[in-house]
Amino acid sequence: MTDTVTRDDASPVGEVTPAEGGPKRSYARLAADESREDYSLRYAPHSFRRWSPTMVASTALGGIAYLADFAIGASIVFTYGFTSGFASILCAATIIFGTGVPIARACAKYGLDMDLVTRGAGFGYFGSTLTSLIYASFTFIFFALEGSIMAQAMHQAVGLPVEIGYLVTTLIVIPIVFRGMGALAKVQAWTQPIWLVGMVLPFVVLAFEAPDAWGAFGSFEGTEGAGQGFSWIGFGLGTGVALSLIAQIGEQADYLRFMPAKTEANKRRWNLAVLAAGPGWVIIGAAKQLGGAFLAFVALEAVGKTHALEPIAPQIEALRPWLGSFALPAAAVFVIVSQIKINVTNAYSGSLSWSNFFSRVTHRHPGRVWYIFLNLAIALTLMEMNMFAALNKLLGFYANVGIAWIVAVAADLVINKRVGWSPPYIEFKRAYLYAVNPAGFGAMVIASTVSILAFFGLFGRYAEAFSTFIAAGLALLLCPLIAWATRGRYYLARPNPVNGPHVEVPDITATHTCAVCETAYELPDIADCPVRSGPICSLCCSLDAECGDVCRTSPASGPVLMPVPTVPAVPAPDPAP
C-alpha cells in the first residue's frame, strides 16, 4: 500500500457516496494520511514497516522513561515497608513479564495493535470495545499521573502554579503526537542521552555520599507502621498497586506492530528486540520502582513524606552534594524530559484506542489525530482533580480490570491456540468475527467483577488484599474452560476461505484494491464482501453501517486471496526514520 492516500478533504468523514460502479467511500484528509494516521485501525503493512528491529525496540523502550515508577515504588514501600514492598514489586514484575511475552510476539508477528489482537484472541469484534475503553483509561490515567509529576517539577523550578503546569504538560505533547510514529521515534532517540544521564547520576552521587543508605533502606519500616517483617496483607495490596502497570504492554504493542518481518537473516535481532521492547520493559520498570523508593527514603527526613513521594524532590536532594545550586535545574530538566518521553506515548496510544472504540460504535472515522484531544481533555481533568493524592487506591482498583483483560488474552494465545480451541492465527476483521466471544470476554467480565467485589472488602480482608490474584487466576482458568465448553465456535463467524493449512501464498505483501475506497491494501487487511461483490479493506468493513453483517451467513462473492500473515517473501527495508 502507498504511505499516503489522498481524498477530498471536504467530504464528510467516512461518507459513502454514489459513484460509477457502486457506492464509494471518501475519507477526510487526516484520516487518509497514513504518515499521521499510522494505520491506527488496521494491520500495519510491510511496506510501512521501514524501521529495523533495533530502532523499533529503542523507540518502544524510550516510552518507559516515565517517573510514575518512582512514585509508585515509593508509595508501596512507604505504605507497606521495605520487605513486603520489595516482594510486591518483584512478584508483579514476574506476572507482567510472563503475560507480556506471548502478547508482544503476536503483535510483532501479525503487525497488529493490542485492540486488534484482543479481537481475535477470544473477545470478538464488539467484545473488544470494552477493552478499548480499559486501555484508553490506562493511557489517560497515566498521562495525568505523569503530567502531575511534570507540573510539580515546573513549580519547583520556576514557580509555575501547578494548575497552569497541568495545562502546559498537556499542550506540549500535541505537535509531536500529531505527526505519528516517525516524530515519536525521533523524539525518543534525541532525548535518550539526557534521560540516561539523569537516571543514573543520582545513584552515582549517593554511592559516594551516602554509602550506608542502602543498608538502612533494607530495614525501612515504612511510614505507616508496617514494620520490618513480611506481611501477607501488605504484599497482596502492594502487588495490586504494582500490577496496575500491566496494561503497559498495550503501549509497547503500539510500537511492536511496526517490527519488520522475521526472516532467517534477522531472527536473532528480531527475537531479542521483541523480548526487550515487549515484556522487557518491566525489568527496567521494577528497577525504577525500587530506585525511586530508595531516593524517596533518602530524602524523607529532609523534605517530608508528601514531597518525598514527588519524584522531583528526591532528585534534587540526591544531586545537591555534587551540583549545589544547579541541582534544582538539573533535576527539573531530567523530570521534564522523562515526562515528555512517556506522555507522547500515552497520548499516541490513547488516540489509537479511542479510534478503535468509536469506529465500531459510530461507524465513523475522522482520523486518529482528533482523538488526541479527547484523551488529553480527560487527562487534564484528572490532573486538575488532584488524582495524585489518591494514587494507591486508584491504581489498585484499575489493576483488577487490567489484569483480567491481559491474562485472558495471554491465556488464549498460550493455551487455546496451542490445543486447537482457537484459530492458530489472529483474525481481526469484522467480516469473520462474531460480535462477542464468551471465551475471552466472558472470562474477563467474570474475573474482574469478582475481583472488584473482593477489592471493596466483600469477601474479607485477605481477599481484598489479593483481589488482583483472584482476577488473574479466574481469567487464566475461565478463558480456556469457556473455549473448551463452547468448542471454539465463537472465534470465527465464518471460515476465512484461504486460511487453511495447505494454502501456499508466494507473497503476502501483494495488494488488492478495496471495492469501497478504491485503495490498494496488503492481503491480510482484505476481506471478501458479498455486498460489495469484491474485496473490502478492514476499515471500510468496520465503518459499513448498512450491510447487516450478511457476510457471516452468506458465501463470499468471489475468490479473494487472503493468507495468514506469516513471513513475506520480500522482507521490509531497514532504514531509520
Side-chain angles (χ1 to χ4, degrees):
M1 174 186 171
T2 56
D3 284 350
T4 304
V5 182
T6 303
R7 291 295 182 208
D8 180 8
D9 195 44
S11 299
V13 174
E15 176 181 317
V16 180
T17 55
E20 184 177 354
K24 307 300 177 186
R25 185 180 299 278
S26 295
Y27 291 107
R29 188 182 303 276
L30 288 177
D33 183 0
E34 295 297 352
S35 66
R36 288 185 173 88
E37 189 66 6
D38 281 348
Y39 298 88
S40 61
L41 305 182
R42 301 181 182 276
Y43 157 85
H46 290 283
S47 61
F48 192 74
R49 303 186 208 177
R50 305 183 301 271
W51 300 276
S52 67
T54 303
M55 174 58 75
V56 174
S58 176
T59 303
L61 288 174
I64 66 165
Y66 53 87
L67 296 183
D69 269 337
F70 279 32
I72 291 171
S75 180
I76 291 172
V77 173
F78 275 29
T79 304
Y80 308 113
F82 174 81
T83 303
S84 299
F86 179 76
S88 298
I89 291 169
L90 291 187
C91 179
T94 301
I95 294 172
I96 292 172
F97 188 91
T99 56
V101 171
I103 293 173
R105 292 185 64 85
C107 293
K109 176 181 179 181
Y110 294 107
L112 305 176
D113 66 14
M114 191 67 201
D115 180 80
L116 300 186
V117 167
T118 300
R119 288 187 199 177
F123 282 72
Y125 182 72
F126 272 107
S128 62
T129 56
L130 178 58
T131 64
S132 291
L133 288 179
I134 295 171
Y135 183 34
S137 66
F138 173 85
T139 65
F140 62 65
I141 285 173
F142 278 88
F143 188 102
L145 178 56
E146 307 295 350
S148 297
I149 293 170
M150 185 171 170
Q152 293 160 5
M154 291 189 292
H155 176 69
Q156 288 259 16
V158 297
L160 186 70
V162 290
E163 292 80 10
I164 299 177
Y166 296 151
L167 180 61
V168 172
T169 64
T170 302
L171 297 178
I172 199 171
V173 304
I174 293 176
I176 302 168
V177 181
F178 199 84
R179 298 196 61 84
M181 174 66 175
L184 267 65
K186 291 176 183 177
V187 167
Q188 300 295 5
W190 293 343
T191 56
Q192 202 76 336
I194 298 173
W195 179 77
L196 287 172
V197 172
M199 177 62 67
V200 173
L201 185 58
F203 299 99
V204 174
V205 174
L206 290 177
F208 285 94
E209 300 296 331
D212 298 329
W214 277 108
F217 180 53
S219 58
F220 181 49
E221 298 182 1
T223 59
E224 310 297 327
Q228 291 187 21
F230 177 81
S231 163
W232 282 107
I233 295 291
F235 168 72
L237 291 171
T239 303
V241 174
L243 280 172
S244 65
L245 293 164
I246 195 167
Q248 176 65 31
I249 190 62
E251 295 196 344
Q252 305 307 112
D254 289 337
Y255 294 110
L256 286 170
R257 66 197 176 106
F258 298 121
M259 193 69 71
K262 182 180 178 181
T263 64
E264 283 298 318
N266 74 358
K267 66 178 181 180
R268 183 174 180 180
R269 285 186 298 131
W270 193 93
N271 286 328
L272 288 174
V274 170
L275 190 65
W281 77 266
V282 78
I283 298 174
I284 302 173
K288 286 166 57 190
Q289 288 176 40
L290 292 171
F294 173 66
L295 293 180
F297 164 75
V298 173
L300 179 60
E301 185 175 346
V303 303
K305 176 186 173 182
T306 300
H307 290 300
L309 293 174
E310 301 171 357
I312 179 66
Q315 288 281 326
I316 295 170
E317 292 302 312
L319 295 174
R320 198 184 301 280
W322 283 12
L323 300 186
S325 60
F326 291 101
L328 173 56
V333 168
F334 167 67
V335 171
I336 290 170
V337 167
S338 297
Q339 302 317 91
I340 290 175
K341 285 169 72 68
I342 179 54
N343 266 353
V344 294
T345 299
N346 282 328
Y348 177 74
S349 294
S351 69
L352 297 179
S353 187
W354 286 118
S355 295
N356 274 297
F357 174 77
F358 281 108
S359 69
R360 276 169 287 175
V361 173
T362 67
H363 296 284
R364 292 174 65 82
H365 180 53
R368 173 191 69 83
V369 296
W370 295 110
Y371 293 111
I372 297 171
F373 301 102
L374 172 63
N375 208 54
L376 296 186
I378 298 173
L380 179 59
T381 302
L382 288 177
M383 283 188 275
E384 297 292 353
M385 292 171 62
N386 193 25
M387 64 152 284
F388 196 84
L391 181 64
N392 273 8
K393 201 68 176 176
L394 178 65
L395 297 183
F397 171 80
Y398 178 83
N400 289 280
V401 182
I403 195 169
W405 164 38
I406 297 297
V407 171
V409 172
D412 182 85
L413 296 173
V414 174
I415 301 173
N416 297 358
K417 290 192 181 304
R418 293 192 178 184
V419 300
W421 299 330
S422 172
Y425 69 102
I426 306 292
E427 182 58 78
F428 66 95
K429 295 175 288 295
R430 173 190 179 187
Y432 298 101
L433 294 174
Y434 281 101
V436 176
N437 185 343
F441 181 78
M444 184 198 72
V445 170
I446 295 171
S448 59
T449 300
V450 173
S451 66
I452 288 172
L453 293 175
F455 176 78
F456 284 109
L458 188 64
F459 307 127
R461 180 63 173 157
Y462 276 92
E464 177 184 349
F466 286 88
S467 63
T468 50
F469 290 85
I470 294 173
L474 284 176
L476 183 63
L477 174 67
L478 290 175
C479 183
L481 183 62
I482 296 172
W484 169 79
T486 59
R487 299 183 180 181
R489 62 171 294 190
Y490 294 103
Y491 280 89
L492 294 177
R494 62 171 175 138
N496 193 327
V498 296
N499 270 339
H502 305 297
V503 176
E504 295 185 5
V505 180
D507 182 9
I508 70 166
T509 64
T511 60
H512 280 196
T513 299
C514 174
V516 179
C517 67
E518 298 183 325
T519 304
Y521 292 95
E522 290 184 8
L523 293 173
D525 203 45
I526 294 291
D528 45 355
C529 178
V531 175
R532 306 300 179 190
S533 299
I536 186 171
C537 72
S538 62
L539 181 54
C540 285
C541 182
S542 290
L543 299 180
D544 197 326
E546 300 176 355
C547 68
D549 293 321
V550 297
C551 60
R552 296 174 182 170
T553 56
S554 302
S557 58
V560 175
L561 186 64
M562 186 174 47
V564 178
T566 52
V567 178
V570 182
D574 236 17

